[in-house]
Amino acid sequence: MAFVRYYVGDVVKMKKSHPCGSDEWEVRRIGTDFTIVCRGCGHQVMIARPKFEKAVKKIVSRVVQEGTLDGANAQTPANGKVDPLGGE
């Protein structure tokens, strides 16, 4: 089983729907516990990580965070010029 990384702001589809009828939830907090908010009625729930990971069916939309996918640690000087020798 592959490790799936979740980010704050992701919208996930759960296997079971909420009593309001919606099955989409927005991730608000990540850690040992997840805080998720129902996209239908706004109900907020705190759920343990193992239970959350088991209940998620798929990621509906993903928030693209700046610098996490391409060039996470790439830094360029303010003038935009890069010195090949590493000097300033």
Side-chain angles (χ1 to χ4, degrees):
M1 185 171 165
F3 177 77
V4 179
R5 182 165 289 216
Y6 298 98
Y7 299 98
V8 174
D10 285 353
V11 177
V12 295
K13 184 172 187 161
M14 304 297 256
K15 291 180 182 175
K16 292 186 177 179
S17 62
H18 190 247
C20 74
S22 176
D23 59 355
E24 291 186 358
W25 296 78
E26 181 180 346
V27 177
R28 289 278 176 94
R29 177 181 175 272
I30 299 172
T32 305
D33 296 321
F34 279 72
T35 299
I36 55 177
V37 178
C38 178
R39 300 275 291 199
C41 65
H43 185 79
Q44 185 171 336
V45 177
M46 185 172 271
I47 185 171
R49 179 181 280 272
K51 191 171 182 180
F52 173 82
E53 290 177 346
K54 189 174 181 180
V56 171
K57 191 172 188 178
K58 69 176 185 174
I59 297 173
V60 175
S61 66
R62 167 137 294 172
V63 173
V64 178
Q65 296 185 353
E66 240 179 80
T68 56
L69 300 177
D70 294 326
N73 293 324
Q75 296 178 358
T76 56
N79 63 5
K81 296 178 182 176
V82 179
D83 184 5
L85 300 176
E88 301 245 348

